[in-house]
Amino acid sequence: MGLIDIFKRKKIEGVDDTMYLTLREERRISKENNKIIRKFEREKNRKNVPEEEYLTQMRDPSNVVEFEDLHTYFFTDVGTVKSVNGVSFDIPQGKIVGVVGESGCGKSVTSLSLMQLVQAPQGQIVKGSIRYQDSNGKCYEITKMPKDKMLKIRGKDIAMIFQEPMTSLNPVFKIGEQMDEVVLLHVEGSTPESAKARSIEMLKLVGIAMPEKVYNSYPHELSGGMRQRVMIAMALSCDPRLIIADEPTTALDVTIQAQILELLRDVKNRINGSIMLITHDLGVIAEMADYVVVMYAGRIIEKGTVREIFHDPKHPYTIGLMRSKPTGETRDNRLYSIKGQVPNPINMPDHCYFYNRCDKAMNVCSRDYPDMVDFSSTHCAACHLYYGEGLQEQNKGKE
Amino acid sequence: MAIEKISPDDSKNYNNDDILVVRNLKKYYPVSKFSLFKSRAYVKAVDDVSFTIKRGTTMGLVGESGCGKTTVGRTILRLHEVTDGQVLFDGKDLAKIPPKELRKMRPQMQMIFQDPYSSLSPRMPVGEIIGEAVKEHKIVPKSEYRSYILKVMRDCGLQPHYYYRYPHEFSGGQRQRISIARAVALKPKFIICDEPLSALDVSIQAQIINLMKDLQEQYGYTYLFISHDLSVVKYLSDTIGVMYLGNLIEMGDKNKIFSNPMHPYTKALLSAVPVSDPDVKMNRIILKGDIPSPVNPPSGCKFRTRCPYAMPICAEKAPVFKEYEEGHQVACHLYSQD
């Protein structure tokens, strides 16, 4: 079989996974996007929004944050990317919620939506709600909140620690200046002196040996672990109720990772806050989290307490993820691997997104997207294996 | 695997089982300008490292970032010039070999790089990326060239119609497959894998690990696997070397290192790996502080500043790298140095 034949066959079967657009199509899409984006932006940029519009009630008052049916889309010139496509979960007070998933599954975009930091104007929260409860018991609807009000929450009540400590610190300002800025902005009646005292106290809290020296140094003078400590100190300086840690240890070595995780846990207990821990490392999740949310291609496929997820995973993707991590026992056994790769985010299929990669795929899986099935009050998974037609098919297979 | 005392040139008494013998390898980088009055300061990226790799086996090299593991890999291939020491590859000293002959040796030793996004030329189609060196070194006759490239691509799990595509059209896992195909196409004996998995997702990592293992079984490659992910190293390697600040501090058989780590650093490193089980609470040794600057390393044992068992002698004398049980070497004052 010559090479030409291979090309021909592939074209006919339509197996080709890449998408090519003509210029005209691209222009049409971009025009449509502009229309949609303008509508959202107009809504966001209104001035003097009355408070009633974004005050709401929590479903459960013991939660700090509730996501409900959140949809965050990116309107790009090649099509709409549904980064977050119907995500709902809660972050209870004083708990650590771990979000796992591969790169591009929407875990970071979920957290950015909560901070109102999604790359606008392309990225927009299209649907759904994010409810946040502050320390006085007031509930806010983050998706409807005007920008100027959000400034009071972002960085103060909800703080974020980013993956790359090098790129998230400004290289031309001293550590001290950057830390003071946070305090001066958010703590009422703070003076430069009190801000400095606060910053140094925070640096001490995160276990930096010479806080005065670090206070006066530039980011490049510190090592990766130190920088991440500074980031954590900065996040803590306003006593946040929720810390979003977006892959806080991915750029660090194992020994430093152990230090940082220990620190995060310690800090959480001290301020009695919650942590939303985003990572792709199952080991980190197992160690840190109370609740786990597993995401795949913009949707939650399984969630539960850490024990339920690790001891009794239900969704084939979760099971696959657990098995594909080498435990190192035997080298002769082949490592289990999930075949294929994540589908193209622009043309998501109607059926289960995991269908093409799943070992247990059935006929019903190629028809519609599975519903969430509850296994306990906390544990649920979206898979056809556990209900209705799929379950019957399974049982038939066994007989 | 003991280090024998060797004369400077004994490439003759070389054991045919060993594909690579590294002896007292040193690589220093100058950090200050030459001056008559001051001695020049160096970063001792690799300072006296010796090890041997047997044919068809995998050696894992672990350590924190900045400990010199990548420099070891690159110096072996002479991508950086060797400051001092010997690198015997198939009995020939790569450190001293003239450039023309080195070029002839190049196809036999290949490298897979860490970041599949920056290690592939964005202006070349996949077929050309894989085939460029094949043409250059005349690995196969011209008439078989295309079918050979397609075969290599198939071996590495790449579809034949990717031949004319460009790297930007592929995901990270596929790109890493292209990098592997590029290395494998030259029919090498020895491949250095410099953190080939760290840029990939967990499910894709497993695919690449399996691919590398299959290729090794099929063609008998020898790997030097550089990584900071201990679980992967444990899975793939036969022997493991642990590096700290340019020194090899512990080396030995995989099982011996994991069941009986001797050096305090190895112990800490092993205990720091998170376990995917919420009920297992590790008895964790958490090291204090960061890795010291390699320009001014601590005197004596370089690890003493972070070591929970540091003794006075550690500051005075560097520990000797010694064999304590068969195929298990450690450099630490906790064990007798005689």
Side-chain angles (χ1 to χ4, degrees), chain A residues 44 80 102 144 147 283 285 310 335 341 348:
Chain A
K44 258 200 256 174
T80 307
E102 292 177 87
K144 296 208 182 81
K147 281 178 181 168
I285 290 280
F310 279 88
L335 195 60
Q341 41 195 314
M348 276 301 186

Side-chain angles (χ1 to χ4, degrees), chain A residues 294-362:
Chain A
V294 187
M295 287 185 71
Y296 184 76
R299 291 210 188 205
I300 292 180
I301 52 146
E302 187 162 2
K303 59 183 172 184
T305 63
V306 71
R307 283 203 173 72
E308 283 164 342
I309 297 286
F310 279 88
H311 293 320
D312 187 22
K314 295 290 188 192
H315 198 283
Y317 177 67
T318 321
I319 298 171
L321 268 191
M322 308 260 174
R323 280 174 59 199
S324 57
K325 193 126 173 83
T327 48
E329 295 316 322
T330 41
R331 191 179 160 218
D332 312 316
N333 292 358
R334 247 181 102 79
L335 195 60
Y336 177 81
S337 66
I338 303 172
K339 61 189 180 206
Q341 41 195 314
V342 186
N344 184 340
I346 289 170
N347 278 330
M348 276 301 186
D350 305 329
H351 54 73
C352 179
Y353 300 160
F354 193 56
Y355 171 65
N356 297 328
R357 305 178 73 189
C358 187
D359 288 342
K360 294 183 177 145
M362 300 171 288

Side-chain angles (χ1 to χ4, degrees), chain A residues 3 6-7 10 16-18 20 101-103 223 225-226 252-259 261-262 265 280-284 286-287 306-307 310-311 317 321 324-341 357, chain B residues 58 63-65 146 150 159-165 169 171 174 201-204 206-207 209-210 213-214 216 228-232 234-238 254 265 268-269 272-279 281 284 286-290 306:
Chain A
L3 205 66
I6 296 167
F7 285 132
K10 287 288 167 201
D16 214 338
D17 50 359
T18 42
Y20 295 100
E102 292 177 87
S103 42
S223 66
M226 290 276 262
L252 306 175
D253 287 310
V254 253
T255 55
I256 309 293
Q257 167 172 301
Q259 290 175 1
L261 293 182
E262 185 82 9
R265 210 169 349 191
H280 62 257
D281 190 338
L282 288 167
V284 171
E287 199 155 296
V306 71
R307 283 203 173 72
F310 279 88
H311 293 320
Y317 177 67
L321 268 191
S324 57
K325 193 126 173 83
T327 48
E329 295 316 322
T330 41
R331 191 179 160 218
D332 312 316
N333 292 358
R334 247 181 102 79
L335 195 60
Y336 177 81
S337 66
I338 303 172
K339 61 189 180 206
Q341 41 195 314
R357 305 178 73 189
Chain B
T58 305
E64 289 177 86
S65 49
R146 175 158 290 185
L150 287 173
Q159 306 277 335
H161 65 275
Y162 292 171
Y163 193 93
Y164 290 114
R165 290 215 188 147
E169 299 173 63
S171 63
Q174 297 283 19
D201 278 316
V202 188
S203 72
I204 308 296
Q207 292 176 2
I209 292 175
N210 280 337
K213 251 180 66 179
D214 290 345
Q216 187 174 35
H228 63 260
D229 189 341
L230 284 157
S231 51
V232 174
K234 190 177 176 186
Y235 185 77
L236 274 172
S237 321
D238 299 295
K254 168 179 70 175
Y265 179 66
L269 206 59
V273 180
V275 184
S276 308
D277 189 338
D279 288 337
K281 286 280 168 267
R284 182 152 293 164
I286 292 189
L287 292 176
K288 290 198 185 66
D290 288 314
R306 300 172 76 193

Side-chain angles (χ1 to χ4, degrees), chain A residues 169-386:
Chain A
L169 286 168
N170 192 333
V172 298
F173 289 106
K174 286 181 180 168
I175 299 287
E177 289 173 53
Q178 303 189 41
M179 290 194 65
D180 288 354
E181 193 189 353
V182 185
V183 181
L184 288 171
L185 208 67
H186 288 300
V187 180
E188 273 172 44
S190 55
T191 56
E193 290 76 37
S194 74
K196 182 176 178 182
R198 178 79 183 158
S199 304
I200 288 181
E201 186 195 330
M202 284 302 133
L203 287 174
K204 236 181 252 167
L205 182 79
V206 295
I208 288 176
M210 290 173 290
E212 278 88 5
K213 199 181 157 211
V214 170
Y215 184 88
N216 282 320
S217 45
Y218 287 95
H220 73 264
E221 297 173 68
L222 307 176
S223 66
M226 290 276 262
R227 274 184 224 135
Q228 199 57 291
R229 275 167 201 273
V230 170
M231 287 298 294
I232 294 176
M234 204 186 281
L236 289 177
S237 53
C238 294
D239 292 326
R241 283 170 55 74
L242 173 70
I243 301 173
I244 302 173
D246 189 355
E247 312 238 5
T249 57
T250 312
L252 306 175
D253 287 310
V254 253
T255 55
I256 309 293
Q257 167 172 301
Q259 290 175 1
I260 296 290
L261 293 182
E262 185 82 9
L263 170 69
L264 268 179
R265 210 169 349 191
D266 182 47
V267 146
K268 189 212 83 178
N269 292 337
R270 225 180 277 192
I271 61 166
N272 190 28
S274 316
I275 296 181
M276 177 174 166
L277 180 68
I278 300 169
T279 177
H280 62 257
D281 190 338
L282 288 167
V284 171
I285 290 280
E287 199 155 296
M288 298 284 292
D290 300 299
Y291 297 98
V292 183
V293 173
V294 187
M295 287 185 71
Y296 184 76
R299 291 210 188 205
I300 292 180
I301 52 146
E302 187 162 2
K303 59 183 172 184
T305 63
V306 71
R307 283 203 173 72
E308 283 164 342
I309 297 286
F310 279 88
H311 293 320
D312 187 22
K314 295 290 188 192
H315 198 283
Y317 177 67
T318 321
I319 298 171
L321 268 191
M322 308 260 174
R323 280 174 59 199
S324 57
K325 193 126 173 83
T327 48
E329 295 316 322
T330 41
R331 191 179 160 218
D332 312 316
N333 292 358
R334 247 181 102 79
L335 195 60
Y336 177 81
S337 66
I338 303 172
K339 61 189 180 206
Q341 41 195 314
V342 186
N344 184 340
I346 289 170
N347 278 330
M348 276 301 186
D350 305 329
H351 54 73
C352 179
Y353 300 160
F354 193 56
Y355 171 65
N356 297 328
R357 305 178 73 189
C358 187
D359 288 342
K360 294 183 177 145
M362 300 171 288
N363 293 331
V364 61
C365 300
S366 63
R367 253 178 278 143
D368 36 28
Y369 195 86
D371 301 331
M372 273 283 178
V373 189
D374 289 324
F375 298 100
S376 72
S377 60
T378 46
H379 191 188
C380 57
C383 184
H384 279 296
L385 280 175
Y386 301 104

Side-chain angles (χ1 to χ4, degrees), chain B residues 24-38:
Chain B
N24 307 85
L25 183 69
K26 285 183 187 143
K27 176 69 200 170
Y28 296 170
Y29 294 99
V31 284
S32 60
K33 278 190 183 142
F34 178 77
S35 152
L36 272 177
F37 310 106
K38 265 194 290 183

